[in-house]
Every structure is written in C-alpha cells, then in structure tokens.
Amino acid sequence: MRLNKYFLVNCAKLQNTLYKLLAKTLFIGKELYYMPTCHSTNDEARQKSINAAICEGAVFITSDQTKGRGQRGNTWFSQPHKNLTLSIVLNPIFLGSDEHFYLNMISSLAVKMCAQHFVPEAQVKVKWPNDVWINERKIAGILIENTLKGSRISSSIIGIGLNVNQTHFTETKASSLSLASGTTFSLPLVFEKLMLAIEHYYLMLKAQKYDELKSEYLSHLLGFRVKRTFRAEHVFTGEIMDVMKSGLLMIKTQQGERSFDFKEIIWL
Ligand code: BTN
C-alpha cells in the first residue's frame, strides 16, 4: 500500500503522539497536515491549495524540513525534531495589497507572545520586518507568501520557523527558547500556544484594530526610537521612528527622516 505523503491528523492514535487537532482555537489548525518530513511547509501548503479546496486556518507542519526557505532567498535550517517548522493558510481578502504588512505584524506579534509565555524572564523583541529575537539573537523567522486577487490579498501562507529545543547553531546570531531559558519544552504545547496567539492577532486584524496592532508592534520593536547602526548605500546611524502599513521602515537620520524597503537596508 502506498501512503499519501499527508497525514490528516484526525486519528486518535496519532493525536496522542504528534500535534493534536487544536481544541481551543476557533479555526486555526482545525485542518492539520502533519508530514514526518518535507522540503518546505510553505511549498506543501501552496501545492495543496492549488490542488484542493482547503479551509482558512489549515496548518502544515513537519518534524524534518529539508529545504526550508527564508527571506531574501536564504535557506532556513532547522534540526529535525527539535523545532517548529510550519505554515498557516489564511484568506485575508479584507486586506488591500498595500496593507500586506499587517500580516507581518500579526505573525511576529504572535510568535513574540508565544516565546514570551515560555521564557517570561527574557526580553523578547520583534526585529523589523518580522523576526523574533531574544537577547539580540534570532529565535524565529517568518516567510509570508501572498496571492492577490485584483488589489486584494486572497490567500496568505504564513511560514514560521521557531527554534525551540535546538542548542547548537552554526549561525552565531541564532538562538532558541531552550538556549534562552536552559529548559526543554514540549513541542505540541509550544505549537498550541503559537496557534492560539496567531488566531488572537488575526481576529484583531479582522476586527480592523489597526491602530492597536501597530502600537503593540512598535512597542516590541527592536531599536524603536533607539540609535542604531544600519547599512544602506553607506553606513549610518539612525533611530527607527515608524513602520508604514506597506512595510516601509522610517528612520530619523542626520539628513532627516528617510524610508527604506526591506531589500534596501541591513542592520549592523
Ligand atoms: C527568515 O527568517 O528568513 C524566514 C524563515 C522562515 C522559515 C519557515 S520554516 C516553515 C516555513 N517553510 C519554509 O520553507 N520556510 C518557513
């Protein structure tokens, strides 16, 4: 018998050992695709969305992602069975294409909320546009891929890599919940908390609480109103003053306030 590569996790035996269908959420993770291994959960989510009707809130999760993709065409490495690597499918048709950054805000705030819950003593920060850092080290990355229908966002795949129990990294600026706390965590428990947090912020977005979301995002933003060094066409110091709904970063420099797109600036 050939097994389908997806296991729709609705069998009691699997539920006890792997990620459970979520009992406490309204719609996130009610359709849950667990794959023991896959190349990229974002690619699996996209492929499945093309081939079949899937519900808003469907989650694709794997224990061993072999070709994880990151921002700027980078690769996302995650040690098998140690971390969360997953993608959530949303249909934010109420958002215009010029408002896509609200998806970055809600997903980074959700990861931040989840990490803060498990490591309450640490200062968890969001690094623009949507990384999550603890003690100046990155613990999570998010890759958002949108599909447009006219000028609206018809579908969004939110891919999250959250380092949970991995303790060795080749990348010096990488960390995990475990390294930040000295504790080992239950992946299903972290998963549940993360999904609840995603739902919480997505419902806020649906309820058009734009100002609340933005001020919460700015209040947790690394470097907000603090002098930092950046590199664009040259190295300069400046203070982050704002982030636009399109995602542009507004920085006060000695030459006045300037806006930067994601590809135009690097933190030093
Ligand atoms: C980054 O910081 O560069 C973003 C990393 C995003 C990684 C996640 S892991 C789950 C999902 N599947 C992917 O291929 N990438 C995202």
Side-chain angles (χ1 to χ4, degrees):
M1 187 183 70
R2 265 193 76 188
L3 278 179
N4 190 309
K5 70 178 165 178
Y6 296 111
F7 294 88
L8 182 53
V9 184
N10 57 5
C11 137
K13 212 168 166 191
L14 277 176
Q15 280 185 39
N16 288 335
T17 49
L18 303 171
Y19 300 98
K20 289 181 181 158
L21 284 176
L22 298 164
K24 294 184 193 153
T25 54
L26 294 172
F27 64 97
I28 298 280
K30 296 294 173 191
E31 197 172 316
L32 180 63
Y33 297 93
Y34 171 75
M35 294 152 286
T37 182
C38 76
H39 285 172
S40 155
T41 55
N42 268 36
D43 293 348
E44 294 291 345
R46 189 193 306 126
Q47 205 50 51
K48 186 80 177 167
S49 315
I50 292 169
N51 295 334
I54 57 169
C55 293
E56 178 165 50
V59 173
F60 293 75
I61 183 164
T62 187
S63 302
D64 181 11
Q65 182 171 256
T66 54
K67 283 190 186 154
R69 294 188 291 110
Q71 298 170 41
R72 304 182 202 250
N74 289 333
T75 306
W76 182 260
F77 294 105
S78 180
Q79 193 181 338
H81 307 284
K82 295 281 182 185
N83 304 315
L84 290 179
T85 43
L86 59 91
S87 303
I88 306 147
V89 180
L90 298 174
N91 301 118
I93 193 79
F94 55 89
L95 279 185
S97 54
D98 59 341
E99 298 173 313
H100 64 91
F101 197 71
Y102 282 113
L103 295 167
N104 299 66
M105 283 188 197
I106 61 156
S107 41
S108 50
L109 282 172
V111 177
K112 191 250 169 228
M113 177 189 262
C114 169
Q116 194 71 77
H117 174 84
F118 289 100
V119 190
E121 64 283 4
Q123 221 202 11
V124 186
K125 288 277 181 189
V126 173
K127 184 166 173 235
W128 178 83
N130 54 9
D131 291 346
V132 179
W133 287 54
I134 293 184
N135 303 330
E136 303 267 328
R137 279 169 199 272
K138 178 165 169 169
I139 59 149
I142 301 171
L143 178 67
I144 301 179
E145 296 180 301
N146 296 326
T147 305
L148 301 184
K149 198 175 196 177
S151 61
R152 314 250 110 213
I153 303 176
S154 56
S155 152
S156 181
I157 297 172
I158 314 261
I160 301 176
L162 171 60
N163 297 333
V164 180
N165 291 323
Q166 184 170 340
T167 50
H168 294 95
F169 293 92
T170 45
E171 169 61 56
T172 48
K173 288 246 173 198
S175 188
S176 64
L177 296 182
S178 189
L179 277 179
S181 62
T183 313
T184 302
F185 297 94
S186 146
L187 288 177
L189 279 185
V190 180
F191 170 67
E192 184 184 41
K193 190 76 197 167
L194 179 59
M195 295 303 103
L196 279 165
I198 289 277
E199 187 166 273
H200 166 80
Y201 284 110
Y202 187 59
L203 291 177
M204 270 178 83
L205 182 58
K206 268 190 133 168
Q208 302 187 337
K209 298 193 175 164
Y210 300 121
D211 293 346
E212 243 177 87
L213 281 169
K214 177 148 164 207
S215 63
E216 198 170 334
Y217 179 83
L218 291 180
S219 73
H220 298 303
L221 191 64
L222 192 67
F224 183 60
R225 302 218 167 173
V226 175
K227 274 212 172 74
R228 308 248 345 185
T229 311
F230 302 89
R231 187 170 63 224
E233 63 277 15
H234 54 80
V235 174
F236 68 96
T237 47
E239 277 177 59
I240 297 176
M241 303 305 286
D242 205 353
V243 178
M244 302 288 100
K245 66 180 177 182
S246 62
L248 284 180
L249 187 68
M250 307 301 296
I251 300 186
K252 186 166 90 184
T253 71
Q254 279 172 345
Q255 284 75 44
E257 199 155 293
R258 293 184 56 194
S259 64
F260 294 92
D261 195 0
F262 180 53
K263 294 194 181 89
E264 295 172 345
I265 188 165
I266 295 174
W267 291 63
L268 296 176

